[in-house]
Amino acid sequence: MAKKTKDARVQVILECTEQKESGVPGMSRYITTKNKKNTPDRLERKKYNPFLKRVTVHREIK
């Protein structure tokens, strides 16, 4: 029986893109996981930014 490996799932950090442009202090970041075999590109999700008090686009960094 083949052994399943968990190498496909990796932790990624999502960072707000709008906050850098606005100059508001602080940084909104979220940690999540993704399957790098199914999603080789960078993730982009809409998440809540507590500094701007609204939902903004967060992109994967690094």
Side-chain angles (χ1 to χ4, degrees):
M1 187 133 183
K3 186 177 182 181
K4 289 188 177 182
T5 61
K6 296 203 176 207
D7 297 336
R9 286 207 86 68
V10 293
Q11 272 194 342
V12 294
I13 300 172
L14 303 175
E15 186 175 82
C16 182
T17 56
E18 295 180 28
Q19 193 162 355
K20 288 181 182 178
E21 299 164 1
S22 66
V24 176
M27 185 52 59
S28 176
R29 289 185 175 171
Y30 287 91
I31 297 174
T32 188
T33 59
K34 76 168 187 177
N35 188 328
K36 65 182 176 182
K37 288 185 180 179
N38 296 339
T39 316
D41 302 331
R42 294 189 179 225
L43 277 181
E44 188 172 296
R45 298 279 185 256
K46 288 188 175 184
K47 304 289 264 177
Y48 180 74
N49 185 331
F51 296 100
L52 299 177
K53 296 183 176 129
R54 59 188 166 108
V55 176
T56 59
V57 175
H58 286 65
R59 286 199 184 102
E60 180 182 338
I61 60 172
K62 193 176 179 184

